[in-house]
Amino acid sequence: MANRNSLSRVIILKTQIQGEHNRNVCVLGENEGIFHATLYGGPKSRLSALVQPLSSGKMWLYNDSTRHIVKISDFDAEKSRLSLRGSLYRLFAANLACEIVMRTKAAGESKEAFFLLNGFLDGLDVIAENDSPSALIRFLWRYLAVMGIQPSTEECIKCQKPFFRENVSKSIRYSTSNCFYIPGADGFLCPECAREMSEGFSLSAEALAYLAAMASSLSPRLVRSMPLSSSSLSQLRQLTFFLSEAAVGMKLKSLEASAGIL
């Protein structure tokens, strides 16, 4: 931010009280990545009402190089996403996604992280409550790809046996068997190779197919239409939560705060 005045397209990730009337705002910029800016003014100011977590839009900034402060001059809240605050699950899911992006510094891929998080928050804002868990799983799995650490779903990492056959008519891939994930691995094991494993995550064929579909070029609409049982959803939830914390390298506060909800 060399220019004294600049305009950024942003998602507001978090705000914190700073002093008596000001706030420190953590922001994901489409081009700038993660940065912090100061919002001046009391809680009754026009900008304070607009600059809220989970909102996105255009932010005008003033860079005071003398005081080493970036000040928020104005904000056009194109999407406020107020409905997220009316659902505990969706609010916690949104906060979890924002925390992961903050802690990983957008994985060094600001445009990809911005596109993925913005799309996830847009989806959460409009989907039904019971569709939110699968939406969160899709975000977490795809963000692992942004970080470059998404485990491969193609074949068993030990014996190289392929996991899939093709359904050409719908371009949806179906797993031929269940599989097993060992913490720290870059892929999955087939049942035969995982026979003696006592620690890890078991996935049904349905759950593995869901992950593979997201990793492919299949359209998001077709992925959302794929069947996912409650047991498969639970398996994917446990796996993606584990992988996300492993990627961050610490316990996620959002997961601890939402125990029993997410």
Side-chain angles (χ1 to χ4, degrees):
M1 292 186 184
N3 297 330
R4 292 176 71 86
N5 293 286
S6 60
L7 172 62
S8 298
R9 188 169 176 236
V10 305
I11 302 170
I12 298 172
L13 304 177
K14 185 179 180 180
T15 65
Q16 287 182 305
I17 298 297
Q18 180 177 294
E20 192 171 344
H21 298 294
N22 307 327
R23 278 188 283 169
N24 177 278
V25 183
C26 182
V27 173
L28 170 62
E30 182 179 14
N31 298 307
E32 303 83 357
I34 302 292
F35 66 91
H36 292 261
T38 301
L39 176 65
Y40 290 93
K44 293 184 179 179
S45 72
R46 180 186 69 86
L47 272 182
S48 290
L50 293 174
V51 178
Q52 297 291 331
L54 310 181
S55 297
S56 63
K58 296 174 182 176
M59 182 173 282
W60 284 263
L61 301 158
Y62 175 77
N63 185 13
D64 187 338
S65 56
T66 303
R67 300 171 61 193
H68 305 290
I69 292 174
V70 177
K71 172 188 173 182
I72 299 174
S73 304
D74 204 353
F75 180 59
D76 178 10
E78 297 173 333
K79 296 177 181 178
S80 298
R81 304 185 176 103
L82 296 177
S83 71
L84 298 183
R85 297 170 178 83
S87 160
L88 271 181
Y89 187 97
R90 286 186 284 181
L91 180 60
F92 278 129
N95 286 338
L96 173 60
C98 288
E99 182 183 1
I100 291 171
V101 172
M102 281 190 289
R103 291 193 180 279
T104 59
K105 300 187 183 302
E109 301 288 346
S110 59
K111 281 188 177 294
E112 287 186 61
F114 185 94
F115 178 80
L116 184 60
L117 180 60
N118 205 45
F120 173 61
L121 295 177
D122 280 348
L124 273 186
D125 200 28
V126 298
I127 61 176
E129 182 87 3
N130 59 356
D131 290 329
S132 300
S134 57
L136 177 58
I137 286 168
R138 291 193 296 272
F139 170 82
L140 296 176
W141 182 250
R142 286 168 174 152
Y143 194 71
L144 290 172
V146 174
M147 290 189 283
I149 55 173
Q150 186 187 84
S152 172
T153 57
E154 295 295 319
E155 60 186 18
C156 174
I157 57 173
K158 187 174 181 180
C159 70
Q160 285 76 57
K161 177 183 177 182
F163 282 126
F164 296 96
R165 57 182 171 82
E166 297 290 336
N167 182 319
V168 179
S169 62
K170 292 186 178 181
S171 299
I172 294 177
R173 311 175 74 191
Y174 292 94
S175 174
T176 55
S177 68
N178 61 337
C179 68
F180 198 81
Y181 177 80
I182 303 169
D186 57 1
F188 297 87
L189 293 172
C190 68
E192 290 75 18
C193 293
R195 190 169 297 160
E196 298 180 1
M197 300 297 174
S198 58
E199 295 184 4
F201 299 86
S202 179
L203 290 185
S204 66
E206 180 184 67
L208 181 62
Y210 199 77
L211 295 182
M214 286 189 283
S216 71
S217 58
L218 200 64
S219 72
R221 181 182 61 82
L222 279 177
V223 174
R224 291 194 298 269
S225 71
M226 293 180 68
L228 198 59
S229 66
S230 58
S231 60
S232 293
L233 186 67
S234 178
Q235 290 174 343
L236 291 173
R237 172 188 169 277
Q238 292 178 50
L239 176 64
T240 53
F241 284 8
F242 170 82
L243 289 174
S244 297
E245 287 196 322
V248 170
M250 64 178 70
K251 291 291 183 182
L252 291 164
K253 293 181 179 179
S254 300
L255 280 182
E256 293 180 340
S258 61
I261 297 175
L262 288 184

